[in-house]
Amino acid sequence: MSDFEMSRHWLAWIAVPLVAAGIAACGRGGAPAAAGDAPLGQYRAVLSVAGGDLPFGLELTRENGALVAWLVNGPERVRVPDVQLDGNHLTMQMPGYPHRLDARFIDARFEGTVEFLRPRGVIKSVRLVAMPGQGWRFFPKPEVAPQDFSGRWALTFHDDEGKDHAAIAELTQQGHEVTGTVMRASGDDRYIAGEARGDTLFLSRFDGGSAYLYLGRLGSDGTLSGDFHTGGGSHETWHGRRDPDAKLEDPAQLTVLQPGIQRLEFTFPDLDGSPVTFPGSRFDGKVTLVTIGGSWCPNCHDEAVFLQRLLASRRAQGLEVVQLMFEYTPDFASASASARSFAEKFSIDYPVLVAGTTSDDDVLKKLPQLKVFGAYPTLFMIDRRGTVRRIHAGFSGPATGSHYGEQSRELTAFVDTLLKEPG
């Protein structure tokens, strides 16, 4: 099947929910919602990206009188506390991310946009429609019997610049419902969810951070292939086969120190603009974890949860953590505001420093001790004498299941080894 035929094949399927959405504008419990009346409850929200509909679950509710929202993707529910509903005008600031939803309740549904902050401070505006009372994701009814997409898939992604990279999809299927994640050497795609319809697979995610849409078709030869679109506008094709033994490339070479260099040295401002230097008296004789990330990076959010818990349990033994934030904008006020939101989301009580931007190899410029930098986040594990003993590039979050548990145990064990060493 050609790319054109495959796109037409997917669009034919997607047309079903689009038509249904146009005639099934309902309120909570399925009753029609009056114009201007924005009911609380469950919504089917859809972002319009180049590949078609990118749906996700949205719930509006009240907690102790305060309006909150939940973003739902498979088993994950992300709480959004910064929600305002003024008449029919809904705004949401995504927790820890520099992205914002702005919509109005018109003709018994929310219509508006989600604004994504992109590199160099560019704002990407994506159309949003949210229909109340709808709990389905891609299709209202599983009318076409699905093929089996469950298992471990070895995938190859091909971007529009001609570059390839490997990934592994791990999918679970119950009837027509499919959930799972896609793992890459630099991290995972977090929780993705959707449906199988015949030989075609539809998966999506929007959790306040990045927005992903996967469209795939299972061939008669067992090959799964398709397209990958993001809310930021990027596109890749992909293909692969089931492989229970599939492995990713070694991430050890994604970030590398210069030959002969064993230490990091830097001075960056904290969120209030005060300089923090490493090495420094605060870190003397301590095991220090220095991580490079950004508020825009979903895997950095997962890593922050791990680091905060690890520090809380081992601070008394001499552990320190420092977060270096490389944001999408060079403006300190904007960058520090994004970094502060990230820190507040996780109640971070270790230094969060505004180090630079994601553009123009700024990480290598700001940290000349590095020869190669290839993944957000990257964690430097530094012993009591100031020597970088290990570099862990990327982070596999909770969506990867047992892989997340194995990674957490391995990193914790290595930190414990460093803590037992003399200064």
Side-chain angles (χ1 to χ4, degrees):
M1 179 179 287
S2 69
D3 290 343
F4 172 77
E5 291 171 325
M6 185 171 288
S7 298
R8 185 172 59 184
H9 176 78
W10 283 324
L11 288 172
W13 286 128
I14 293 174
V16 174
L18 284 175
V19 172
I23 63 176
C26 348
R28 185 168 38 183
D37 176 24
L40 302 185
Q42 187 177 59
Y43 285 75
R44 176 181 182 260
V46 175
L47 295 174
S48 298
V49 299
D53 282 0
L54 192 162
F56 62 97
L58 172 64
E59 293 181 19
L60 297 178
T61 187
R62 291 193 182 275
E63 296 179 358
N64 299 320
L67 185 66
V68 299
W70 295 87
L71 308 177
V72 184
N73 298 278
E76 184 183 50
R77 292 171 55 85
V78 176
R79 184 175 182 271
V80 184
D82 190 353
V83 182
Q84 302 293 326
L85 183 57
D86 183 9
N88 70 343
H89 186 201
L90 175 69
T91 59
M92 296 167 50
Q93 181 63 47
M94 300 306 162
Y97 291 104
H99 310 320
R100 179 178 176 84
L101 182 151
D102 191 307
R104 292 184 182 276
F105 199 73
I106 302 172
D107 295 332
R109 63 183 184 179
F110 279 113
E111 295 185 17
T113 60
V114 173
E115 293 186 341
F116 293 89
L117 181 64
R118 304 297 298 150
R120 303 181 190 278
V122 173
I123 300 294
K124 170 74 173 181
S125 184
V126 178
R127 182 171 182 264
L128 167 86
V129 175
M131 306 294 297
Q134 297 184 356
W136 47 277
R137 199 168 184 94
F138 281 92
F139 301 97
K141 293 181 180 180
E143 295 177 348
V144 181
Q147 295 195 27
D148 180 20
F149 291 89
S150 63
R152 186 176 177 90
W153 298 81
L155 304 180
T156 299
F157 282 74
H158 183 79
D159 66 24
D160 292 340
E161 297 179 355
K163 298 178 181 178
D164 292 347
H165 70 268
I168 295 173
E170 289 196 343
L171 305 177
T172 300
Q173 185 169 343
Q174 293 185 345
H176 70 287
E177 295 184 354
V178 181
T179 58
T181 193
V182 174
M183 300 180 292
R184 310 165 194 265
S186 58
D188 64 285
D189 286 359
R190 305 198 80 251
Y191 293 91
I192 55 177
E195 295 150 28
R197 190 173 176 88
D199 62 359
T200 312
L201 180 66
F202 302 82
L203 296 168
S204 63
R205 159 195 141 202
F206 176 60
D207 53 11
S210 50
Y212 289 168
L213 174 65
Y214 286 90
L215 303 172
R217 181 173 181 270
L218 185 60
S220 58
D221 62 351
T223 299
L224 183 61
S225 58
D227 286 88
F228 171 62
H229 296 269
T230 74
S234 62
H235 167 257
E236 295 177 311
T237 59
W238 53 272
H239 68 276
R241 305 179 69 90
R242 278 192 181 90
D243 182 355
D245 301 317
K247 297 184 183 300
L248 292 171
E249 58 191 286
D250 184 2
Q253 299 304 309
L254 291 178
T255 299
V256 180
L257 290 169
Q258 294 280 5
I261 299 297
Q262 295 180 312
R263 297 173 180 268
L264 290 182
E265 297 180 2
F266 56 79
T267 299
F268 297 120
D270 65 15
L271 299 180
D272 297 318
S274 299
V276 174
T277 297
F278 181 87
S281 57
R282 171 173 180 160
F283 310 103
D284 288 347
K286 304 284 187 67
V287 172
T288 305
L289 306 180
V290 176
T291 183
I292 296 176
S295 63
W296 51 270
C297 162
N299 297 130
C300 301
H301 285 235
D302 287 334
E303 185 198 49
V305 175
F306 168 75
L307 291 177
Q308 181 73 331
R309 291 173 180 170
L310 183 65
L311 179 61
S313 64
R314 286 159 174 78
R315 176 179 272 131
Q317 301 174 41
L319 181 64
E320 289 279 355
V321 176
V322 181
Q323 177 89 43
L324 305 184
M325 301 293 273
F326 285 80
E327 295 293 337
Y328 278 159
T329 171
D331 176 68
F332 179 80
S334 176
S336 61
S338 295
R340 189 181 300 278
S341 176
F342 175 90
E344 290 175 349
K345 176 181 179 180
F346 301 108
S347 301
I348 290 176
D349 60 356
Y350 49 83
V352 176
L353 312 183
V354 180
T357 74
T358 59
S359 305
D360 303 320
D361 293 325
D362 201 32
V363 172
L364 297 179
K365 295 174 182 177
K366 297 295 178 60
L367 295 169
Q369 301 92 357
L370 302 184
K371 179 180 179 181
V372 177
F373 176 78
Y376 293 94
T378 289
L379 182 67
F380 298 86
M381 309 178 79
I382 302 171
D383 66 19
R384 295 183 187 274
R385 299 181 180 182
T387 301
V388 176
R389 296 282 293 276
R390 181 175 176 180
I391 302 174
H392 183 83
F395 192 82
S396 297
T400 67
S402 61
H403 305 286
Y404 171 67
E406 180 181 354
Q407 172 193 251
S408 299
R409 289 188 294 271
E410 182 181 344
L411 292 176
T412 300
F414 192 78
V415 168
D416 287 341
T417 297
L418 296 182
L419 289 170
K420 291 175 182 177
E421 295 178 352

